[in-house]
Amino acid sequence: MALITSDVDRFEAARPRLEAIAYRLLGSASEAEDAVQETFLRWQAADVRRIEVPEAWLTKVLTNLCLNLLTSARARRETYVGQWLPEPLLAGDPMLGPADTAEQRESVSYAVLVLLERLSPNERAVYVLREAFDYSHREIAEILDLTEAASQQIFHRAKKHVAAGKARTRIDEAAARRVVEEFLAAATSGRTEPLVRLLTQDAISVGDGGGKVPARAKAFEGALAVAKFLRGLFKPGESKRALVGGAPDIYATTANGEPAIVAVVDGRVVAITCLEVTEEGIAAVRSQVNPDKLVRATEQWAAGDFGGTPLYTL
């Protein structure tokens, strides 16, 4: 049946929620958009007059599409060049979804998105639907064709896995900027000691270049090793400028609710580095430099008010 205007409007009203669910499930904005578009095509092909609860139907279709994508993504990532990291989203991106509760904010943090990669597709789906969107276990059971008891067990297991990651500290944008400024001052000082003081002893540094931009295949581990790497990374050089097409301007902002450093060349985002901050210090430095995963951030940068004066130019 052809959709009438009200049917299209109903889907468009649900789109922001669907995109936010898909992004948390997939860790990729572009894949999330594709999954939502495929959901629309199925909505278009369905007899919507016979669908009693459209929102539940759409969520079920979308979630199962994402589960299929997660299964195939695991196979693709086995051949991925180097480390795989989620696609970061800058502050204000509607795909970040609801942020009314601490659980909702944490569920889309970059640190948690990385941890969600350890979960099975079903565990990830149950965790996201319950923790970020407050679906009941009865609703989740209907979406995933599980029993309610199974949904509860899967959620308990998933939450335990996520909680096994480092404890995080939620900070506001002003505090995030101070963290970034202090980090940049240390990273550009030319010395390792200031950086070591900011990092936890077991800090890690990970980069995702996707085989398109040089990035170490193995993470740096330990405060000293990370500090030495970062000291070199933030040292200006002609080779770095040639690689990205100019001298990157460095800005402080937030991405996925965490303090972030954004490198911009002629309006193009060439890197986003997320800092995982704990009470003990910076526990992880995760850099996304794969240009395929920075397209949305570049569009968002151009449309938003992120500029101001750069803190540093490499």
Side-chain angles (χ1 to χ4, degrees):
M1 292 181 64
L3 294 181
I4 61 176
T5 301
S6 60
D7 297 327
V8 175
D9 290 345
R10 177 164 241 167
F11 182 88
E12 291 304 320
R15 184 184 289 273
R17 179 177 58 84
L18 295 175
E19 287 188 344
I21 291 173
Y23 172 68
R24 281 171 165 85
L25 288 176
L26 300 171
S28 165
S30 58
E31 289 183 359
E33 290 174 336
D34 290 344
V36 172
Q37 187 58 29
E38 179 60 29
T39 302
F40 175 73
L41 294 176
R42 298 195 181 193
W43 172 251
Q44 194 175 37
D47 184 356
V48 298
R49 303 294 173 275
R50 302 183 65 179
I51 297 175
E52 294 183 5
V53 186
E55 288 73 15
W57 186 92
L58 291 170
T59 302
K60 183 180 180 73
V61 169
L62 174 79
T63 302
N64 283 283
L65 284 169
C66 288
L67 288 176
N68 291 335
L69 287 170
L70 279 174
T71 301
S72 61
R74 291 199 165 201
R76 292 198 308 274
R77 287 171 196 171
E78 289 179 2
T79 59
Y80 192 82
V81 179
Q83 297 276 343
W84 187 95
L85 289 174
E87 180 177 346
L89 298 181
L90 298 175
D93 193 314
M95 199 174 279
L96 290 171
D100 298 326
T101 67
E103 291 78 13
Q104 289 172 336
R105 291 190 294 270
E106 184 171 88
S107 71
V108 79
S109 73
Y110 207 62
V112 167
L113 287 181
V114 171
L115 289 171
L116 290 182
E117 288 296 308
R118 303 177 186 178
L119 305 182
S120 71
N122 259 12
E123 287 174 337
R124 188 164 182 162
V126 171
Y127 180 86
V128 166
L129 291 172
R130 179 65 181 156
E131 194 81 344
F133 296 91
D134 203 27
Y135 280 85
S136 68
H137 284 293
R138 179 183 59 78
E139 292 170 320
I140 295 171
E142 291 174 355
I143 290 169
L144 298 176
D145 294 324
L146 303 167
T147 65
E148 191 169 342
S151 175
Q152 293 170 337
Q153 290 171 358
I154 291 171
F155 177 71
H156 177 74
R157 187 166 63 242
K159 193 165 186 177
K160 186 176 180 181
H161 284 316
V162 173
K166 292 183 180 295
R168 286 155 296 280
T169 302
R170 176 70 182 175
I171 58 178
D172 60 27
E173 288 194 27
R177 183 178 176 87
R178 288 194 297 272
V179 168
V180 173
E181 289 174 347
E182 189 174 2
F183 175 84
L184 277 174
T188 57
S189 68
R191 297 181 295 120
T192 58
E193 294 82 0
L195 274 169
V196 169
R197 287 196 294 269
L198 291 178
L199 300 166
T200 62
Q201 286 303 305
D202 59 348
I204 63 168
S205 178
V206 186
D208 178 351
K212 300 184 177 184
V213 174
R216 192 169 186 258
K218 187 178 180 181
F220 289 92
E221 298 180 359
L224 184 58
V226 171
K228 287 180 177 179
F229 165 69
L230 292 172
R231 183 188 63 187
L233 183 67
F234 283 91
K235 183 178 180 180
E238 288 304 320
S239 60
K240 294 187 181 73
R241 292 167 183 163
L243 184 65
V244 297
D249 289 326
I250 307 299
Y251 297 87
T253 184
T254 59
N256 294 74
E258 293 181 338
I261 299 162
V262 180
V264 181
V265 176
D266 295 330
R268 176 172 51 92
V269 175
V270 297
I272 297 178
T273 297
C274 296
L275 306 179
E276 182 181 348
V277 180
T278 71
E279 292 180 355
E280 292 76 31
I282 297 171
V285 181
R286 299 185 176 95
S287 298
Q288 183 56 261
V289 293
N290 183 343
D292 294 344
K293 298 183 182 181
L294 296 171
V295 173
R296 185 180 179 96
T298 294
E299 293 171 351
Q300 195 181 359
W301 187 269
D305 183 21
F306 297 97
T309 304
L311 297 177
Y312 192 73
T313 299
L314 286 179

